[in-house]
């Protein structure tokens, strides 16, 4: 079964076309990287995928479930970290994860805390956390209940290098266990290190959809820059 | 299993008490009681003045009192329900997870009921003088008040959840386009929802008020029946609308962001006055004028409308009513004066760190707040002149506005100062009414 299906996805805000007829099918067990320049439409696409923004046209399915027709059903399969994750300032990471585990009706809090690598800080209030620690907490919350699809918007931003490396490893393990990860970033190296597949957006459209192995480790950055230049040229002309 | 939302709420409250101290957290609960006690001398003369007249006038006086209580209770609850069900800060955390919308809505309504039940208790207690002299009339009024509370809560919830369905409904799009003004289409549904809730629940509430007057007690059940009917629809509406609201709100916010961009280039009200100020005052005054007007324009202009309406209402022949209405105006002046606190709270962090607080900043902020208050005071001063209340009254209003501006600007730097400002505001307003009445 396909974990993620976007069909003819389009989002406009008045005259501004943020996402323009994006089609994307991600089979289960895939680590898919989404890259693009600032304003390419990555976050808007992911917000629609998370059910947080209604598309102007098109449909979004997670594990075959329409995200907008059955929001609760779709969210049972989804773990998500938005671009600016929201947390409760006056809870500790442990208390926050316990609450999320309750509303997801299950989840191994101890294991999720291992993901965060917060150690003793897990019992301090989140209001004392750095941006990176908050993001790790949100990431751990997204994994509670073992959702089959993880959608992460710039989830590795603000993480210190050892934490980022550990999280990348854990995400890879997650995918190897048959689950699906869609990670948006503009760090090409991250995609090269962990992703099976790369989707590149430019000006709201998919301009590259390929296997990372086919492109090669050095080709990805070059391809990114070429495509970016091509879309700029097309815009100028 | 315990309700996770109540558990969360208790945990958050406990952690806040640890961080800020139990006394500061308890102020939220103590505060309404303190305000109630401060305003108590006003209660009987302003609201139960009809008890001094003939007993024949009591039913009509009670009806009028209940109508005002209905507007206050239902209107207040409608706004609160909007904040809790639609724009709750908890939504950003919960919308990512498979929550049960009906449970979330039920919890939010219980929480509002718990938080706001002092309103109904205070109004019921305030009816004691009426109960003492006419138990049947007073008892009926208390039953009506609790009906308003129940209807205000459930009808507001049903209407706001229905508004979510309306917001992106293609059938309603042409209608919403007609009433939305410059707002995004979907926002029109939310803009009018509190008014619609007030209208629907208000009809039953006014029916109950008239039932108390006429002794036709059956109509007293109206608000309760309406509350029950609305409650029955909530589960289904919550399941249909709660998640959908997130997507609609994100769309509204994105469209607002596009709408507000041209605002940056526009001059704001009173901007021209800045060049007449001393040079050292100008950047601070301009900063406050722009930020305050752009972020709180509806607050400031709404207060002016209230000032004009108050003056218009007091244009009549009764001087005693006029003085009471002006008492409220003074309270309003202090309310708008609190915009000084808002300016400080919304000051960008880096700016407050970069530029130290100074007398010049305080003076310019006081001036800005005072200038915003002037259009509220002028119509009232004209109405006062018409009633022959003399220049002293107008000068008093002006002096109070000036004091409010100085106080709010000075105290705005202190995080807990709003708690001091409000009792001072209540005290000054009370003194003003007493002082103004003495020469009559």
């Amino acid at each position: 079964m396909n974990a993620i299906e976007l069909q003819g996805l389009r989002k406009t805000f008045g005259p501004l076309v943020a996402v323009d007829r994006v089609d994307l099918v991600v089979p289960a067990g895939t680590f898919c990287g989404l890259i693009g320049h600032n304003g390419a439409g990555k976050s808007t696409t992911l917000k629609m995928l998370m059910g947080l923004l209604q598309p102007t046209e098109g449909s979004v399915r997670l594990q075959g479930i329409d995200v907008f027709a059955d929001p609760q059903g779709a969210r049972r399969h989804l773990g998500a970290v938005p671009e600016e994750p929201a947390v409760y300032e006056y809870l500790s990471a442990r208390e926050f994860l316990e609450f999320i585990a309750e509303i997801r009706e299950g989840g191994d809090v101890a294991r999720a805390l291992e993901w965060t690598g917060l150690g003793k800080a897990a019992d301090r209030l989140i209001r004392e956390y750095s941006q990176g620690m908050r993001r790790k907490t949100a990431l751990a919350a997204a994994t509670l209940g073992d959702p089959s699809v993880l959608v992460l918007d710039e989830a590795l931003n603000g993480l210190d290098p050892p934490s980022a490396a550990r999280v990348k490893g854990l995400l890879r393990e997650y995918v190897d266990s048959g689950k699906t990860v869609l990670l948006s970033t503009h760090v090409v190296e991250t995609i090269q290190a962990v992703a099976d597949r790369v989707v590149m957006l430019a000006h709201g459209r998919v301009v590259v959809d390929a296997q990372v192995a086919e492109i090669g480790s050095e080709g990805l950055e070059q391809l990114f820059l070429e495509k970016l230049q091509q879309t700029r040229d097309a815009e100028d002309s | 299993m315990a309700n996770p939302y109540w558990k969360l709420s208790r945990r958050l409250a406990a952690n806040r008490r640890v961080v800020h101290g139990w006394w500061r957290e308890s102020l939220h609960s103590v505060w309404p009681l303190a305000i109630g006690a401060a305003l108590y001398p006003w209660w009987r003369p302003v609201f139960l003045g009809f008890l001094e007249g003939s007993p024949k006038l009591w039913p009509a006086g009670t009806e009028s009192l209940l109508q005002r209580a209905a507007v206050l209770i239902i209107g207040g609850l409608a706004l609160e329900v909007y904040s809790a069900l639609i724009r709750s800060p908890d939504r950003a955390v919960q919308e990512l997870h498979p929550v049960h919308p009906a449970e979330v809505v039920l919890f939010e309504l219980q929480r509002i009921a718990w938080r706001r039940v002092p309103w109904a208790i205070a109004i019921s207690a305030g009816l004691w003088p009426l109960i003492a002299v006419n138990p049947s009339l007073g008892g009926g009024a208390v039953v009506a008040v609790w009906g308003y509370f129940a209807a205000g809560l459930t009808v507001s919830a049903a209407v706001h959840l229905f508004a979510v369905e309306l917001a992106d409904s293609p059938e309603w799009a042409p209608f919403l386009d007609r009433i939305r003004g410059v707002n995004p289409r979907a926002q029109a549904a939310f803009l009018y929802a509190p008014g619609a809730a007030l209208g629907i629940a208000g009809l039953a509430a006014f029916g109950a008020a008239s039932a108390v007057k006429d002794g036709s007690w059956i109509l007293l059940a109206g608000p309760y029946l309406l509350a029950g009917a609305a409650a029955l629809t909530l589960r289904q509406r919550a399941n249909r609308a709660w998640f959908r609201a997130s997507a609609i709100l994100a769309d509204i916010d994105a469209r607002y962001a596009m709408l507000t961009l041209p605002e940056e280039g526009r001059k704001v009200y009173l901007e021209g006055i800045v060049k007449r100020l001393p040079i050292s005052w100008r950047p601070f005054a301009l900063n406050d004028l722009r930020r305050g007007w752009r972020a709180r324009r509806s607050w400031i202009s709404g207060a002016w409308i209230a000032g004009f309406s108050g003056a218009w209402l007091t244009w009549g022949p009764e001087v005693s009513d006029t003085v009471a209405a002006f008492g409220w105006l003074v309270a309003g002046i202090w309310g708008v004066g609190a915009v000084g606190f808002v300016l400080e709270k919304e000051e960008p962090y880096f700016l407050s760190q970069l530029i130290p607080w100074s007398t010049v900043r305080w003076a310019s902020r006081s001036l800005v707040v005072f200038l915003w208050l002037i259009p509220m005071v002028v119509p009232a001063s004209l109405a006062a002149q018409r009633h022959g209340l003399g220049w002293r009254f107008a000068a008093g209003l002006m002096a109070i506005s000036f004091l409010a501006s100085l106080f709010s600007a000075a105290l705005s730097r202190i995080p807990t100062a709003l708690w001091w400002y409000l009792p001072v505001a209540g005290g000054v307003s009370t003194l003003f009414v007493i002082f103004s009445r003495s020469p009559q």
Side-chain angles (χ1 to χ4, degrees):
Chain A
M1 179 184 273
N2 291 321
I4 297 170
E5 286 174 66
L6 309 180
Q7 281 189 338
L9 201 62
R10 184 175 158 85
K11 182 67 195 176
T12 60
F13 298 101
L16 178 79
V17 182
V19 174
D20 195 6
R21 295 188 191 87
V22 166
D23 291 304
L24 179 66
V25 174
V26 182
T30 306
F31 196 130
C32 182
L34 187 63
I35 57 170
H37 57 89
N38 292 334
K42 302 186 297 292
S43 290
T44 307
T45 304
L46 293 193
K47 272 185 188 164
M48 290 190 277
L49 184 50
M50 294 173 197
L52 303 181
L53 190 63
Q54 187 90 32
T56 310
E57 286 170 31
S59 66
V60 182
R61 287 178 176 273
L62 275 175
Q63 298 289 128
I65 301 170
D66 188 312
V67 168
F68 294 96
D70 181 5
Q72 199 186 8
R75 279 164 174 80
R76 286 205 180 93
H77 297 284
L78 173 72
V81 179
E83 195 177 11
E84 288 168 24
V87 286
Y88 287 112
E89 300 281 322
Y90 285 87
L91 291 184
S92 65
R94 187 185 306 281
E95 289 166 340
F96 179 69
L97 295 179
E98 281 167 359
F99 168 67
I100 299 297
E102 274 201 69
I103 61 173
R104 294 196 75 101
E105 295 170 358
D108 187 341
V109 172
R111 202 184 72 179
L113 277 172
E114 272 179 42
W115 266 67
T116 65
L118 288 172
K120 285 181 184 170
D123 291 309
R124 267 170 38 205
L125 293 186
I126 293 175
R127 69 196 292 263
E128 297 165 13
Y129 286 8
S130 67
Q131 282 304 317
M133 290 160 87
R134 283 160 193 259
R135 206 168 275 278
K136 282 192 264 185
T137 307
L139 197 53
T143 65
L144 281 169
D146 279 332
S148 50
V149 180
L150 277 184
V151 176
L152 313 172
D153 193 357
E154 309 280 2
L156 303 183
N157 281 12
L159 266 60
D160 54 81
S163 298
R166 202 183 69 251
V167 169
K168 279 187 236 173
L170 289 165
L171 288 176
R172 189 62 247 177
E173 281 175 27
Y174 206 78
V175 172
D176 292 342
S177 69
K179 299 188 175 79
T180 308
V181 172
L182 178 59
L183 170 72
S184 128
T185 178
H186 35 230
V187 183
V188 175
E189 291 80 10
T190 303
I191 302 291
Q192 282 171 340
V194 288
D196 306 311
R197 179 176 164 193
V198 59
V199 172
M200 195 183 293
L201 285 182
H203 302 284
R205 292 187 173 183
V206 174
V207 290
V208 172
D209 183 352
Q211 296 297 317
V212 173
E214 286 171 13
I215 298 169
S217 58
E218 283 174 15
L220 187 55
E221 187 161 10
Q222 188 59 36
L223 183 65
F224 181 43
L225 295 172
E226 276 173 20
K227 288 289 173 186
L228 202 57
Q229 192 56 49
Q230 279 172 17
T231 50
R232 278 183 188 150
D233 292 345
E235 239 185 19
D236 292 344
S237 63
Chain B
M1 195 172 74
N3 181 321
Y5 307 103
W6 273 117
K7 228 163 101 179
L8 168 74
S9 178
R10 281 194 293 267
R11 171 54 56 199
L12 286 168
N15 288 351
R16 279 177 183 278
R17 280 196 294 273
V18 170
V19 175
H20 299 298
W22 65 269
W23 57 274
R24 197 175 145 192
E25 288 304 300
S26 309
L27 274 179
H28 296 284
S29 334
V30 173
W31 193 238
L33 297 174
I35 291 180
L39 295 179
Y40 186 72
W42 274 7
W43 175 259
R44 184 160 173 144
V46 172
F47 293 109
L48 294 171
F50 60 86
L51 289 179
E52 312 304 327
S54 158
K56 284 184 188 163
L57 298 175
W58 293 357
T62 306
E63 183 192 27
S64 152
L65 174 64
L66 285 175
Q67 286 171 345
R68 280 178 277 170
V71 172
L72 183 75
I73 294 173
I74 300 169
L77 286 174
L79 294 173
E80 190 117 354
V81 166
Y82 170 71
S83 305
L85 296 193
I86 307 297
R87 285 284 184 185
S88 162
D90 291 352
R91 177 178 282 282
V93 176
Q94 295 171 7
E95 66 190 358
L96 297 170
H97 303 285
V99 296
H100 295 287
E103 273 182 24
V104 176
V105 167
L106 182 66
F107 160 73
E108 291 292 359
L109 293 183
Q110 286 172 342
R111 182 157 68 167
I112 296 171
W114 175 247
R115 200 187 293 152
R116 296 303 170 209
V117 78
W119 293 0
I121 293 173
I123 294 174
S124 304
L127 288 169
W128 175 248
L130 178 62
I131 299 168
V133 295
N134 188 335
S136 127
L137 196 59
V142 170
V143 172
V145 164
W146 284 90
Y148 301 167
F149 192 76
L153 208 55
T154 55
V155 171
S156 300
V159 167
H160 279 102
L161 293 171
F162 179 62
V164 175
E165 296 178 49
L166 269 188
D168 67 349
S169 146
E171 290 81 26
W172 284 85
F175 174 70
L176 294 176
D177 280 339
R178 277 169 191 258
I179 61 170
R180 72 188 171 120
V182 295
N183 303 289
R185 179 191 292 158
Q187 180 65 11
F190 296 124
L191 277 179
Y192 293 97
L198 181 59
I200 295 167
L203 272 180
F206 275 44
S210 126
V212 172
K213 184 187 83 173
D214 301 333
S216 53
W217 301 109
I218 193 78
L219 274 178
L220 257 185
Y224 291 95
L225 291 174
L226 187 65
L232 287 176
T233 68
L234 285 182
R235 177 169 291 274
Q236 207 181 8
R237 285 210 184 288
N239 287 335
R240 280 207 302 259
W242 194 86
F243 280 116
R244 203 162 154 192
S246 291
I248 291 170
L249 294 174
D251 203 73
I252 289 173
D253 292 344
R255 287 175 197 277
Y256 265 131
M258 291 178 70
L259 273 178
T260 50
L261 282 177
E263 178 82 4
E264 302 306 314
R266 281 189 208 145
K267 282 196 170 181
V268 299
Y269 172 68
L270 290 176
E271 194 172 309
I273 214 161
V274 170
K275 57 181 175 235
R276 297 176 196 280
L277 297 177
I279 288 173
S280 58
W281 289 33
R282 289 179 194 174
F284 302 120
L286 192 61
N287 182 31
D288 284 346
L289 277 170
R290 285 179 174 168
R291 285 194 308 111
W293 184 251
R294 284 173 185 157
R296 300 289 159 186
R297 179 166 31 199
S298 55
W299 188 349
I300 298 161
S301 52
W304 298 349
I305 292 167
F308 274 104
S309 311
W312 180 66
L313 287 172
T314 54
W315 209 252
E318 284 292 324
V319 174
S320 62
D321 285 355
T322 308
V323 173
F326 284 164
W328 285 107
L329 176 72
V330 172
I333 288 172
W334 282 79
V336 178
V339 82
F341 290 93
V342 177
L343 286 173
E344 186 59 32
K345 198 175 162 211
E346 292 173 355
E347 184 98 296
Y349 179 73
F350 76 92
L351 205 59
S352 60
Q353 295 300 305
L354 215 63
I355 307 170
W357 184 247
S358 64
T359 315
V360 170
R361 277 185 85 182
W362 168 59
S364 63
R365 179 162 293 167
S366 306
L367 180 71
V368 165
V369 175
F370 179 65
L371 291 173
W372 280 331
L373 287 172
I374 296 286
M376 198 174 169
V377 173
V378 168
S381 301
L382 290 175
Q385 292 302 323
R386 180 181 153 80
H387 286 292
L389 291 172
W391 63 269
R392 213 162 54 152
F393 201 100
L397 282 177
M398 213 53 103
I400 282 169
S401 308
F402 189 61
L403 265 177
S405 318
L406 290 178
F407 254 72
S408 76
L411 295 177
S412 62
R413 294 288 293 178
I414 306 165
T416 54
L418 199 57
W419 305 118
W420 313 346
Y421 176 84
L422 290 173
V424 172
V428 171
S429 307
T430 310
L431 283 175
F432 182 72
V433 169
I434 293 166
F435 165 76
S436 309
R437 278 186 166 188
S438 58
Q440 304 309 315

